[in-house]
Amino acid sequence: MIRTAEPVSPAPTRLRAAVGVAVLGSLLTAVAPTVGVVDASAPPAFTAWPLLALLALLPTALAAIFLVRGQELTAAAALVAPAVFAAGRLLNDLQLAVDPVDASRPELFRPTTLDAPTPTAGVWLLIAGHVLLIAAGALATLGQEPDVRSERASFVLPATAGIVAGIGLFTAPFTSTDALIPARGPFESPTLPMVGGLVITLAAPALAVLAASATTNEARKGGLLGLAAVLLTFALPPIATALTVDRVGLAVGPFLVLAAAVALAWPQRAAKAGEEKDSEERGLERSGVELPGLRRLHVIAATLGLIAAAAAAAGASTDQLVLPAGLPAPTDYAARLLWPAAIVTAALAAALLAKAAVRPAFTVATAVIPLAAGGALDAVFAATRVAAIQPGPGVWFTAGSVVAAAAAAVTAALAGAVERDEVGTAGTQPPLPLVGAALIAALLAFGAFGLPVIQAPDLVPIGAFGLRVGSSGLLVALVTVVAAAVIALKARPGRGAALLLGAALVTAVRALEYPLTAARAAESAPGPGLWLAAAATAAFLVSAALRTAR
């Protein structure tokens, strides 16, 4: 009897082709640094190609592993993030072909003179690799037919991690005192890298939300792990550069991106453990690692909060600048805001250790650390432009407080996700007065962080939407309080009120900038940001009261 061959489904064939194209694109981007993107007059600042090659292959290798294991939806979803980020990378790397001098890429080349190096074949390998990755992502998403999700998945943690990653990608990847290696964020870059940087910055939270809302657990897993793998390619090279290259220092941004990558990947390990637990109940052997319990996560978050508070206090009490012998040390007004930030963080961390229900407030209030640290580090950055002035030990304590606060916030957000998985979420519609009060508070927050709290003839204020170092801290605080106002509308009453109280603490610390630092400038006067910060604090408190009202 002759059997007719069964028709081959076009979806797996298309997916295998997509993975093959992605592998080829990754190989091209991995080989490009070894070939060199410019001529020999500007070699790489350090031997970065092994790290760059590993990171270039990681996201595609992840998709290939899923495909080999028969997890087709997971493999397809894992190719989405590399494709979207490749669009931003394509614009960034086109700058290498247009004008390499304006591309600050010490891992690829380090100029030694003002003469522009000549682009070589490595640039075109990078560009071709990005184009192939974009094509692979488009090919992988065609014809996918999702199933119904089998269980409820946490949404808040991936969204929070995506926002944290976006903030990290928005800032400069490192600090630099070398004029030929400028430290730039997206808005400080030429047109092509600026647009590419904005695409990358916006892609992180957008893809995190998209992956978290996927219609299948398989697609969710692939999307989040693919995004985590791509974020590692943005976090690790700047950290390696800062640790290896002279006159280049660490910045906060890559650590935020790294923390976000860990937060995105960690729940997938927990999901795997849950699946193995179900298998054990069916008589199969379990071999997974469980997510830490809720109380343990609270203890970890609180401990990190106490570390952040101690580091902030140390930063406020030690020298931020080292001056030449004989010069009197100036009064460091900018660092004074670290004291209330340390007090707020330490108090909430201690309450969390004491089992008080302050976890949501603590998660939001950790934003006071980067808020205060941004102004202190901005003053140091401005002063150290003078060659004779160097950063003092207080700078490292201040930077360490930001890293610890970010880790505490991520851990606390993870604890919130575990709590929601255990007790569920509220499905009630928020009352109209609460919606109005929260909206007013969020709008006031934009003015509080976007406008100056101090006005003086000789003072150039820092705003959340500026290009200075302190702008990143203001932007973190603004995004945090606005996100808290939105999430509080859907949260359970007690948790929502705690979120709004945390936001009130952040805006209150912003208002304290005037009495603590007004003496820095002659003829200083309250700015509009002061009154808006005070009004936002009152609005958040009213919103918290309305959230608890029946």
Side-chain angles (χ1 to χ4, degrees), residues 216-270:
T216 66
N217 290 328
E218 292 80 6
R220 172 187 168 89
K221 175 182 177 181
L224 293 179
L225 287 178
L227 178 57
V230 174
L231 290 179
L232 289 178
T233 68
F234 288 91
L236 296 182
I239 295 175
T241 300
L243 295 175
T244 308
V245 181
D246 59 312
R247 304 182 67 181
V248 175
L250 294 169
V252 176
F255 289 98
L256 295 179
V257 178
L258 181 61
V262 173
L264 290 168
W266 195 339
Q268 306 316 308
R269 293 179 58 86

Side-chain angles (χ1 to χ4, degrees), residues 78-156:
L79 290 177
V80 174
V84 175
F85 279 91
R89 290 182 183 272
L90 176 62
L91 295 172
N92 287 347
D93 291 339
L94 281 173
Q95 184 64 38
L96 297 174
V98 174
D99 189 359
V101 172
D102 284 334
S104 184
R105 304 286 293 277
E107 75 278 10
L108 296 178
F109 70 98
R110 181 178 190 174
T112 55
T113 66
L114 295 176
D115 296 330
T118 303
T120 58
V123 173
W124 308 112
L125 291 177
L126 283 175
I127 292 173
H130 298 325
V131 171
L132 290 175
L133 286 172
I134 295 171
L139 191 61
T141 54
L142 292 175
Q144 295 297 327
E145 298 180 358
D147 301 324
V148 178
R149 182 184 295 170
S150 59
E151 59 184 28
R152 180 179 58 83
S154 174
F155 178 84
V156 176

Side-chain angles (χ1 to χ4, degrees), residues 410-422:
V410 171
T411 306
L414 181 61
V418 172
E419 180 181 341
R420 283 183 292 276
D421 287 338
E422 292 180 354

Side-chain angles (χ1 to χ4, degrees), residues 286-316:
R286 178 185 174 190
S287 59
V289 180
E290 291 185 355
L291 188 68
L294 183 60
R295 179 56 187 164
R296 184 182 300 178
L297 287 172
H298 283 177
V299 171
I300 295 172
T303 303
L304 290 170
L306 292 174
I307 293 173

